[in-house]
Amino acid sequence: MNESKPSVTLCEVKCWIRFTTVALLFFTASAVFATRRERIIDTWRPTHYNVQITLNNELTEIRKARTEITVVTLKPGVSFIDLDFGELSVDSVTLNRRAAHFKHSSGLLRVNLPRQMAKGTRLVVAVNYHGVPKDGLVMTRDKSGNPAVVGDNWPNRVHHWIPSFDHPSAKATVAFSVTAPHENLVVANGSLVGAQNTFPAMRTWTYSEVVPIPPHCMIFAAGNFAKFNVESPHTRLEYYVPRADEPFAQKGFASAAPSLKLFSETVAPYPYEKLALIVGATQFGGMENSSAIVFGSNLFNPVANAQISPTFGVRKALVQLIAHEIAHQWFGDSVTQETWSDLWLSEGFATYFAGLFVQEHDGKAAFRQYMAGNADAYFAFARQRRIPLHDTETEDLFRLLNGNNYQKGAWVLHMLRSQVGDDAFYPGIRAYYSAHKNGTATSEDLRKALTAASGSDLKHFFGNWVYGAGHPHYELTWTWNQEKRSLRLNLKQTQPEGVFLNSLPVEIVTSAGPQRIVLRPRSKDLVEEVPLGQAPASIKVDPDETVLKELTVNGPV
C-alpha cells in the first residue's frame, strides 16, 4: 500500500480487537524487546469465504448480506468460533445449516458449537446481516458525482463488513456475489464467474479467488465505471475509472503492463487470475488488494511542478506508485508477513521493486536519485524514532507506516543485493518467493533463502539492520604521509547503537586514476594504512551508494 502522498513513501495501518500473545524472538547483540500482542491462529483457521451482498439502489447501505465461512479446527476440544465482526446488525447465524447460538458484542461474534470438536473438523459458519458499515467498505460518490462502493480494509478493517479472522496470516480463498443496480459495474478479487440480471433493474456479479489471500485484501468495488481491457501477456489487465477519468486512464496506467512484465520475469509468473486497477475510494494513495488494486480518486489529478517520467510521459510519482502496488501482488499479497513485526517484507519489498522498475526504464541515475530520496525519508524518521526494522513493540499499527518499513526496508534489500551480488540476490529472492507463495513468511525465512543462495553468513547483517535499530554514522579522517607514501584512514562510527559490520568501499583518486579499497570495521574505530604511489587528490566513500549511512569526511590532516 502507499499512503496518499505524491511520491512512493509509506502506507497502511492496524488496529485490533482480541489479542493473543505472540512470542516473537529474535537475535541481536542485546536482548529481547517488549512484545506486541497479536491475535494468532491457534484453535481454528478460515479456509474459504463466500460473501453475498445486496446493495440498495443508492449504494448507501447493505440491504442484506450473507457470509459463509468455512473453518477447520486446529486442536481437539474447540467449543466456539470467535469471529471478528463490527457493528452491523446480525439477523441470524447458522452452523452447518442449523441455527446456532451466538453472542455479538465489542467487535466479536462468538458462535458456540454444540459440542467440543475434534482436531481437523470442518465447519461452515453462516452469518446473515445488514446495515451501513462503520468502516472498511466505503460508500461514497466518485469524482463524477456517481454513487460508488469500494472496499478499503488495511490493516484490519475488513471485519466491519465481513465476519472474519482479521489478521494478515489468516489467508483464505474468497468468492463474492454482489447485487447492485444494473447501471453499475462490479469488480472483485479473482475471476469473473458471471453477471446476470436478478431483481428488476438489478444485476448480480459473481467473482471467485481460488488462491488464499489476506483478509485485508478481500474487496469489491461497484460504481458507474468506465472499463478498459488492456493487452498483456502476463495476465488479464483491466482498468476501472470514474467517467471523469476516462480520457486519462490509458496513458495514466501506461506503466502497468511493463511493471507486470518486469516483476513476472524477475520473480515469478503473476500469481492471480487477473489484475484490475481501480480508481476509487481509499484513504491511501494506493491499496494492493489481491488482483484488484484501488487507487485514490485524485490519482490522475494534475500536480504543479511535478517531475515527468521521460519514458511514460506522466508524473514520476505516478509511475512509482503503480509499480509499488503491482509489486505488492508478489510481496505482501502472495507472500504475506506472518506478523506485523515483519511488515517490511511487504512494504520494503514494494518500495525497492518500484525502484528496480525505475532503474529498468529510466536508468541508473534515476534509480540512484530514487534511493537517495528513500534514504532522506528514512533519516527524517530516524531523527524522531530509532527502533528496529523488526518492530515487536509498536501497538498502533498506523505508526508502522513509517520510514523504517518502507524506505529503510528498501535500503536493506539494496544493501543485501550489493553485498551478495545480483547472481545470488535474485535467485535468493525467487527461492524465498517460491517457498512461501500463497502463504506467510518471516525475516528469518528471507535470511535463510539469501544465505543458501549466496553462501554468505548473513546473521550479523540481519542482526544490525533488521533486528537492531539505527544506521551507521561514519566519520572518516584521512592523512597523507609523503615520506612513507602512505595514506592513513581513520574510520569512526558515532551512532548510539553498537558497531555496524558492513564493508565500506572507498575510492581513492590520484593523478594516476582511481583505486578502490574496502574497509571492514570490526569495532567503532578502524585505522588502516594504504600504501600509495602518489598523494590522493580526493577520497570518495561508498561511491556507488551501497550502504545506508550518514557520513562526514575530514582531510587531509
Side-chain angles (χ1 to χ4, degrees), residues 402-430:
N402 57 39
N404 256 13
N405 282 312
Y406 287 75
Q407 288 85 5
K408 184 178 182 180
W411 262 97
V412 165
L413 290 171
H414 186 53
M415 289 187 290
L416 283 165
R417 178 187 170 197
S418 302
Q419 179 167 322
V420 305
D422 286 3
D423 289 344
F425 178 76
Y426 288 110
I429 293 298
R430 287 191 283 271

PDB file of all heavy atoms in Angstrom, residues 402-430:
ATOM      1  N   ASN A 402       5.846   3.829   8.331  1.00  0.00           N
ATOM      2  CA  ASN A 402       6.917   4.752   8.668  1.00  0.00           C
ATOM      3  C   ASN A 402       8.141   4.518   7.796  1.00  0.00           C
ATOM      4  O   ASN A 402       8.180   3.612   6.952  1.00  0.00           O
ATOM      5  CB  ASN A 402       7.279   4.610  10.157  1.00  0.00           C
ATOM      6  CG  ASN A 402       7.692   3.196  10.539  1.00  0.00           C
ATOM      7  OD1 ASN A 402       8.377   2.509   9.800  1.00  0.00           O
ATOM      8  ND2 ASN A 402       7.268   2.748  11.722  1.00  0.00           N
ATOM      9  N   GLY A 403       9.139   5.370   8.000  1.00  0.00           N
ATOM     10  CA  GLY A 403      10.365   5.304   7.217  1.00  0.00           C
ATOM     11  C   GLY A 403      11.165   4.047   7.424  1.00  0.00           C
ATOM     12  O   GLY A 403      12.054   3.734   6.625  1.00  0.00           O
ATOM     13  N   ASN A 404      10.895   3.305   8.487  1.00  0.00           N
ATOM     14  CA  ASN A 404      11.538   2.006   8.669  1.00  0.00           C
ATOM     15  C   ASN A 404      11.003   0.991   7.667  1.00  0.00           C
ATOM     16  O   ASN A 404      11.747   0.420   6.866  1.00  0.00           O
ATOM     17  CB  ASN A 404      11.287   1.489  10.084  1.00  0.00           C
ATOM     18  CG  ASN A 404      12.502   1.625  10.980  1.00  0.00           C
ATOM     19  OD1 ASN A 404      13.458   2.303  10.657  1.00  0.00           O
ATOM     20  ND2 ASN A 404      12.460   0.985  12.130  1.00  0.00           N
ATOM     21  N   ASN A 405       9.709   0.730   7.710  1.00  0.00           N
ATOM     22  CA  ASN A 405       9.140  -0.366   6.929  1.00  0.00           C
ATOM     23  C   ASN A 405       9.174  -0.110   5.429  1.00  0.00           C
ATOM     24  O   ASN A 405       9.264  -1.056   4.639  1.00  0.00           O
ATOM     25  CB  ASN A 405       7.711  -0.657   7.387  1.00  0.00           C
ATOM     26  CG  ASN A 405       7.686  -1.445   8.677  1.00  0.00           C
ATOM     27  OD1 ASN A 405       8.384  -2.442   8.813  1.00  0.00           O
ATOM     28  ND2 ASN A 405       6.908  -0.984   9.648  1.00  0.00           N
ATOM     29  N   TYR A 406       9.124   1.149   5.024  1.00  0.00           N
ATOM     30  CA  TYR A 406       9.172   1.470   3.600  1.00  0.00           C
ATOM     31  C   TYR A 406      10.614   1.716   3.140  1.00  0.00           C
ATOM     32  O   TYR A 406      11.212   0.908   2.447  1.00  0.00           O
ATOM     33  CB  TYR A 406       8.306   2.691   3.306  1.00  0.00           C
ATOM     34  CG  TYR A 406       6.841   2.409   3.380  1.00  0.00           C
ATOM     35  CD1 TYR A 406       6.205   2.255   4.602  1.00  0.00           C
ATOM     36  CD2 TYR A 406       6.075   2.278   2.231  1.00  0.00           C
ATOM     37  CE1 TYR A 406       4.855   1.986   4.678  1.00  0.00           C
ATOM     38  CE2 TYR A 406       4.721   2.019   2.292  1.00  0.00           C
ATOM     39  CZ  TYR A 406       4.111   1.864   3.526  1.00  0.00           C
ATOM     40  OH  TYR A 406       2.765   1.588   3.588  1.00  0.00           O
ATOM     41  N   GLN A 407      11.140   2.879   3.545  1.00  0.00           N
ATOM     42  CA  GLN A 407      12.414   3.313   2.985  1.00  0.00           C
ATOM     43  C   GLN A 407      13.611   2.529   3.518  1.00  0.00           C
ATOM     44  O   GLN A 407      14.490   2.134   2.755  1.00  0.00           O
ATOM     45  CB  GLN A 407      12.600   4.809   3.230  1.00  0.00           C
ATOM     46  CG  GLN A 407      11.684   5.670   2.377  1.00  0.00           C
ATOM     47  CD  GLN A 407      10.312   5.878   2.987  1.00  0.00           C
ATOM     48  OE1 GLN A 407      10.050   5.459   4.108  1.00  0.00           O
ATOM     49  NE2 GLN A 407       9.440   6.553   2.259  1.00  0.00           N
ATOM     50  N   LYS A 408      13.682   2.301   4.833  1.00  0.00           N
ATOM     51  CA  LYS A 408      14.789   1.501   5.340  1.00  0.00           C
ATOM     52  C   LYS A 408      14.673   0.065   4.831  1.00  0.00           C
ATOM     53  O   LYS A 408      15.689  -0.566   4.485  1.00  0.00           O
ATOM     54  CB  LYS A 408      14.834   1.514   6.862  1.00  0.00           C
ATOM     55  CG  LYS A 408      16.046   0.774   7.425  1.00  0.00           C
ATOM     56  CD  LYS A 408      16.132   0.830   8.942  1.00  0.00           C
ATOM     57  CE  LYS A 408      17.379   0.131   9.447  1.00  0.00           C
ATOM     58  NZ  LYS A 408      17.502   0.171  10.930  1.00  0.00           N
ATOM     59  N   GLY A 409      13.451  -0.463   4.787  1.00  0.00           N
ATOM     60  CA  GLY A 409      13.272  -1.809   4.248  1.00  0.00           C
ATOM     61  C   GLY A 409      13.798  -1.921   2.835  1.00  0.00           C
ATOM     62  O   GLY A 409      14.449  -2.911   2.469  1.00  0.00           O
ATOM     63  N   ALA A 410      13.530  -0.893   2.004  1.00  0.00           N
ATOM     64  CA  ALA A 410      14.046  -0.900   0.632  1.00  0.00           C
ATOM     65  C   ALA A 410      15.567  -0.878   0.631  1.00  0.00           C
ATOM     66  O   ALA A 410      16.228  -1.575  -0.144  1.00  0.00           O
ATOM     67  CB  ALA A 410      13.487   0.294  -0.133  1.00  0.00           C
ATOM     68  N   TRP A 411      16.154  -0.067   1.521  1.00  0.00           N
ATOM     69  CA  TRP A 411      17.610   0.022   1.578  1.00  0.00           C
ATOM     70  C   TRP A 411      18.235  -1.273   2.087  1.00  0.00           C
ATOM     71  O   TRP A 411      19.322  -1.659   1.654  1.00  0.00           O
ATOM     72  CB  TRP A 411      18.027   1.202   2.449  1.00  0.00           C
ATOM     73  CG  TRP A 411      18.353   2.404   1.613  1.00  0.00           C
ATOM     74  CD1 TRP A 411      17.540   3.458   1.315  1.00  0.00           C
ATOM     75  CD2 TRP A 411      19.592   2.659   0.942  1.00  0.00           C
ATOM     76  NE1 TRP A 411      18.189   4.349   0.505  1.00  0.00           N
ATOM     77  CE2 TRP A 411      19.455   3.883   0.258  1.00  0.00           C
ATOM     78  CE3 TRP A 411      20.798   1.971   0.850  1.00  0.00           C
ATOM     79  CZ2 TRP A 411      20.479   4.436  -0.506  1.00  0.00           C
ATOM     80  CZ3 TRP A 411      21.828   2.517   0.090  1.00  0.00           C
ATOM     81  CH2 TRP A 411      21.659   3.728  -0.573  1.00  0.00           C
ATOM     82  N   VAL A 412      17.585  -1.962   2.992  1.00  0.00           N
ATOM     83  CA  VAL A 412      18.106  -3.251   3.448  1.00  0.00           C
ATOM     84  C   VAL A 412      18.199  -4.221   2.272  1.00  0.00           C
ATOM     85  O   VAL A 412      19.199  -4.936   2.104  1.00  0.00           O
ATOM     86  CB  VAL A 412      17.234  -3.818   4.585  1.00  0.00           C
ATOM     87  CG1 VAL A 412      17.524  -5.295   4.832  1.00  0.00           C
ATOM     88  CG2 VAL A 412      17.457  -3.014   5.867  1.00  0.00           C
ATOM     89  N   LEU A 413      17.189  -4.245   1.432  1.00  0.00           N
ATOM     90  CA  LEU A 413      17.242  -5.105   0.249  1.00  0.00           C
ATOM     91  C   LEU A 413      18.354  -4.657  -0.694  1.00  0.00           C
ATOM     92  O   LEU A 413      19.062  -5.487  -1.280  1.00  0.00           O
ATOM     93  CB  LEU A 413      15.891  -5.102  -0.462  1.00  0.00           C
ATOM     94  CG  LEU A 413      14.766  -5.817   0.277  1.00  0.00           C
ATOM     95  CD1 LEU A 413      13.431  -5.556  -0.406  1.00  0.00           C
ATOM     96  CD2 LEU A 413      15.022  -7.316   0.361  1.00  0.00           C
ATOM     97  N   HIS A 414      18.508  -3.353  -0.859  1.00  0.00           N
ATOM     98  CA  HIS A 414      19.554  -2.847  -1.737  1.00  0.00           C
ATOM     99  C   HIS A 414      20.940  -3.220  -1.211  1.00  0.00           C
ATOM    100  O   HIS A 414      21.833  -3.606  -1.982  1.00  0.00           O
ATOM    101  CB  HIS A 414      19.432  -1.322  -1.873  1.00  0.00           C
ATOM    102  CG  HIS A 414      20.363  -0.731  -2.866  1.00  0.00           C
ATOM    103  ND1 HIS A 414      20.465  -1.172  -4.166  1.00  0.00           N
ATOM    104  CD2 HIS A 414      21.272   0.282  -2.742  1.00  0.00           C
ATOM    105  CE1 HIS A 414      21.380  -0.466  -4.806  1.00  0.00           C
ATOM    106  NE2 HIS A 414      21.890   0.420  -3.959  1.00  0.00           N
ATOM    107  N   MET A 415      21.130  -3.123   0.107  1.00  0.00           N
ATOM    108  CA  MET A 415      22.420  -3.487   0.688  1.00  0.00           C
ATOM    109  C   MET A 415      22.671  -4.989   0.574  1.00  0.00           C
ATOM    110  O   MET A 415      23.804  -5.431   0.326  1.00  0.00           O
ATOM    111  CB  MET A 415      22.478  -3.030   2.140  1.00  0.00           C
ATOM    112  CG  MET A 415      22.571  -1.518   2.283  1.00  0.00           C
ATOM    113  SD  MET A 415      22.850  -0.968   3.986  1.00  0.00           S
ATOM    114  CE  MET A 415      21.280  -1.366   4.733  1.00  0.00           C
ATOM    115  N   LEU A 416      21.633  -5.783   0.754  1.00  0.00           N
ATOM    116  CA  LEU A 416      21.785  -7.229   0.568  1.00  0.00           C
ATOM    117  C   LEU A 416      22.175  -7.546  -0.872  1.00  0.00           C
ATOM    118  O   LEU A 416      23.074  -8.363  -1.129  1.00  0.00           O
ATOM    119  CB  LEU A 416      20.483  -7.940   0.930  1.00  0.00           C
ATOM    120  CG  LEU A 416      20.201  -8.104   2.420  1.00  0.00           C
ATOM    121  CD1 LEU A 416      18.749  -8.474   2.652  1.00  0.00           C
ATOM    122  CD2 LEU A 416      21.124  -9.167   3.035  1.00  0.00           C
ATOM    123  N   ARG A 417      21.529  -6.888  -1.802  1.00  0.00           N
ATOM    124  CA  ARG A 417      21.867  -7.085  -3.221  1.00  0.00           C
ATOM    125  C   ARG A 417      23.314  -6.690  -3.487  1.00  0.00           C
ATOM    126  O   ARG A 417      24.053  -7.402  -4.174  1.00  0.00           O
ATOM    127  CB  ARG A 417      20.917  -6.260  -4.086  1.00  0.00           C
ATOM    128  CG  ARG A 417      21.186  -6.321  -5.579  1.00  0.00           C
ATOM    129  CD  ARG A 417      20.306  -5.341  -6.333  1.00  0.00           C
ATOM    130  NE  ARG A 417      20.699  -5.201  -7.714  1.00  0.00           N
ATOM    131  CZ  ARG A 417      20.320  -4.199  -8.495  1.00  0.00           C
ATOM    132  NH1 ARG A 417      19.524  -3.246  -8.012  1.00  0.00           N
ATOM    133  NH2 ARG A 417      20.723  -4.128  -9.744  1.00  0.00           N
ATOM    134  N   SER A 418      23.738  -5.556  -2.918  1.00  0.00           N
ATOM    135  CA  SER A 418      25.111  -5.091  -3.114  1.00  0.00           C
ATOM    136  C   SER A 418      26.116  -6.037  -2.464  1.00  0.00           C
ATOM    137  O   SER A 418      27.206  -6.270  -2.999  1.00  0.00           O
ATOM    138  CB  SER A 418      25.263  -3.681  -2.534  1.00  0.00           C
ATOM    139  OG  SER A 418      24.353  -2.777  -3.147  1.00  0.00           O
ATOM    140  N   GLN A 419      25.749  -6.611  -1.322  1.00  0.00           N
ATOM    141  CA  GLN A 419      26.678  -7.456  -0.583  1.00  0.00           C
ATOM    142  C   GLN A 419      26.848  -8.822  -1.232  1.00  0.00           C
ATOM    143  O   GLN A 419      27.972  -9.323  -1.362  1.00  0.00           O
ATOM    144  CB  GLN A 419      26.201  -7.622   0.858  1.00  0.00           C
ATOM    145  CG  GLN A 419      27.101  -8.512   1.712  1.00  0.00           C
ATOM    146  CD  GLN A 419      26.799  -8.411   3.189  1.00  0.00           C
ATOM    147  OE1 GLN A 419      26.497  -7.339   3.708  1.00  0.00           O
ATOM    148  NE2 GLN A 419      26.878  -9.534   3.891  1.00  0.00           N
ATOM    149  N   VAL A 420      25.737  -9.454  -1.643  1.00  0.00           N
ATOM    150  CA  VAL A 420      25.850 -10.822  -2.166  1.00  0.00           C
ATOM    151  C   VAL A 420      25.971 -10.854  -3.684  1.00  0.00           C
ATOM    152  O   VAL A 420      26.347 -11.887  -4.250  1.00  0.00           O
ATOM    153  CB  VAL A 420      24.665 -11.697  -1.704  1.00  0.00           C
ATOM    154  CG1 VAL A 420      24.539 -11.690  -0.194  1.00  0.00           C
ATOM    155  CG2 VAL A 420      23.349 -11.255  -2.357  1.00  0.00           C
ATOM    156  N   GLY A 421      25.637  -9.736  -4.358  1.00  0.00           N
ATOM    157  CA  GLY A 421      25.710  -9.686  -5.813  1.00  0.00           C
ATOM    158  C   GLY A 421      24.425 -10.152  -6.473  1.00  0.00           C
ATOM    159  O   GLY A 421      23.667 -10.953  -5.915  1.00  0.00           O
ATOM    160  N   ASP A 422      24.180  -9.639  -7.676  1.00  0.00           N
ATOM    161  CA  ASP A 422      22.953  -9.981  -8.402  1.00  0.00           C
ATOM    162  C   ASP A 422      22.815 -11.477  -8.647  1.00  0.00           C
ATOM    163  O   ASP A 422      21.700 -12.021  -8.643  1.00  0.00           O
ATOM    164  CB  ASP A 422      22.897  -9.241  -9.739  1.00  0.00           C
ATOM    165  CG  ASP A 422      22.574  -7.760  -9.586  1.00  0.00           C
ATOM    166  OD1 ASP A 422      22.442  -7.292  -8.430  1.00  0.00           O
ATOM    167  OD2 ASP A 422      22.455  -7.081 -10.622  1.00  0.00           O
ATOM    168  N   ASP A 423      23.934 -12.157  -8.875  1.00  0.00           N
ATOM    169  CA  ASP A 423      23.874 -13.588  -9.203  1.00  0.00           C
ATOM    170  C   ASP A 423      23.390 -14.437  -8.043  1.00  0.00           C
ATOM    171  O   ASP A 423      22.961 -15.588  -8.241  1.00  0.00           O
ATOM    172  CB  ASP A 423      25.249 -14.081  -9.656  1.00  0.00           C
ATOM    173  CG  ASP A 423      25.637 -13.538 -11.028  1.00  0.00           C
ATOM    174  OD1 ASP A 423      24.743 -13.046 -11.740  1.00  0.00           O
ATOM    175  OD2 ASP A 423      26.832 -13.597 -11.368  1.00  0.00           O
ATOM    176  N   ALA A 424      23.447 -13.903  -6.829  1.00  0.00           N
ATOM    177  CA  ALA A 424      22.895 -14.614  -5.666  1.00  0.00           C
ATOM    178  C   ALA A 424      21.608 -13.962  -5.191  1.00  0.00           C
ATOM    179  O   ALA A 424      20.696 -14.660  -4.733  1.00  0.00           O
ATOM    180  CB  ALA A 424      23.910 -14.646  -4.526  1.00  0.00           C
ATOM    181  N   PHE A 425      21.518 -12.636  -5.308  1.00  0.00           N
ATOM    182  CA  PHE A 425      20.354 -11.917  -4.774  1.00  0.00           C
ATOM    183  C   PHE A 425      19.062 -12.354  -5.467  1.00  0.00           C
ATOM    184  O   PHE A 425      18.091 -12.742  -4.797  1.00  0.00           O
ATOM    185  CB  PHE A 425      20.550 -10.413  -4.924  1.00  0.00           C
ATOM    186  CG  PHE A 425      19.387  -9.587  -4.454  1.00  0.00           C
ATOM    187  CD1 PHE A 425      19.148  -9.385  -3.100  1.00  0.00           C
ATOM    188  CD2 PHE A 425      18.513  -9.003  -5.368  1.00  0.00           C
ATOM    189  CE1 PHE A 425      18.081  -8.621  -2.661  1.00  0.00           C
ATOM    190  CE2 PHE A 425      17.437  -8.236  -4.941  1.00  0.00           C
ATOM    191  CZ  PHE A 425      17.221  -8.039  -3.585  1.00  0.00           C
ATOM    192  N   TYR A 426      19.049 -12.320  -6.786  1.00  0.00           N
ATOM    193  CA  TYR A 426      17.797 -12.624  -7.483  1.00  0.00           C
ATOM    194  C   TYR A 426      17.395 -14.101  -7.358  1.00  0.00           C
ATOM    195  O   TYR A 426      16.218 -14.395  -7.099  1.00  0.00           O
ATOM    196  CB  TYR A 426      17.875 -12.171  -8.937  1.00  0.00           C
ATOM    197  CG  TYR A 426      17.825 -10.664  -9.071  1.00  0.00           C
ATOM    198  CD1 TYR A 426      18.931  -9.935  -9.466  1.00  0.00           C
ATOM    199  CD2 TYR A 426      16.662  -9.952  -8.758  1.00  0.00           C
ATOM    200  CE1 TYR A 426      18.891  -8.551  -9.565  1.00  0.00           C
ATOM    201  CE2 TYR A 426      16.607  -8.573  -8.856  1.00  0.00           C
ATOM    202  CZ  TYR A 426      17.725  -7.876  -9.259  1.00  0.00           C
ATOM    203  OH  TYR A 426      17.673  -6.501  -9.346  1.00  0.00           O
ATOM    204  N   PRO A 427      18.314 -15.048  -7.481  1.00  0.00           N
ATOM    205  CA  PRO A 427      17.912 -16.439  -7.194  1.00  0.00           C
ATOM    206  C   PRO A 427      17.431 -16.621  -5.757  1.00  0.00           C
ATOM    207  O   PRO A 427      16.494 -17.398  -5.502  1.00  0.00           O
ATOM    208  CB  PRO A 427      19.192 -17.232  -7.460  1.00  0.00           C
ATOM    209  CG  PRO A 427      19.944 -16.418  -8.452  1.00  0.00           C
ATOM    210  CD  PRO A 427      19.672 -14.998  -8.076  1.00  0.00           C
ATOM    211  N   GLY A 428      18.051 -15.905  -4.805  1.00  0.00           N
ATOM    212  CA  GLY A 428      17.598 -15.997  -3.418  1.00  0.00           C
ATOM    213  C   GLY A 428      16.193 -15.462  -3.237  1.00  0.00           C
ATOM    214  O   GLY A 428      15.376 -16.058  -2.516  1.00  0.00           O
ATOM    215  N   ILE A 429      15.899 -14.345  -3.891  1.00  0.00           N
ATOM    216  CA  ILE A 429      14.542 -13.772  -3.818  1.00  0.00           C
ATOM    217  C   ILE A 429      13.539 -14.718  -4.458  1.00  0.00           C
ATOM    218  O   ILE A 429      12.436 -14.933  -3.940  1.00  0.00           O
ATOM    219  CB  ILE A 429      14.508 -12.390  -4.497  1.00  0.00           C
ATOM    220  CG1 ILE A 429      15.354 -11.373  -3.713  1.00  0.00           C
ATOM    221  CG2 ILE A 429      13.069 -11.894  -4.642  1.00  0.00           C
ATOM    222  CD1 ILE A 429      14.873 -11.110  -2.307  1.00  0.00           C
ATOM    223  N   ARG A 430      13.910 -15.298  -5.589  1.00  0.00           N
ATOM    224  CA  ARG A 430      12.986 -16.234  -6.252  1.00  0.00           C
ATOM    225  C   ARG A 430      12.747 -17.473  -5.384  1.00  0.00           C
ATOM    226  O   ARG A 430      11.615 -17.978  -5.308  1.00  0.00           O
ATOM    227  CB  ARG A 430      13.540 -16.624  -7.633  1.00  0.00           C
ATOM    228  CG  ARG A 430      13.429 -15.507  -8.659  1.00  0.00           C
ATOM    229  CD  ARG A 430      13.740 -16.004 -10.062  1.00  0.00           C
ATOM    230  NE  ARG A 430      15.170 -16.181 -10.283  1.00  0.00           N
ATOM    231  CZ  ARG A 430      15.986 -15.233 -10.738  1.00  0.00           C
ATOM    232  NH1 ARG A 430      15.517 -14.016 -11.006  1.00  0.00           N
ATOM    233  NH2 ARG A 430      17.265 -15.477 -10.928  1.00  0.00           N
TER     234      ARG A 430
END
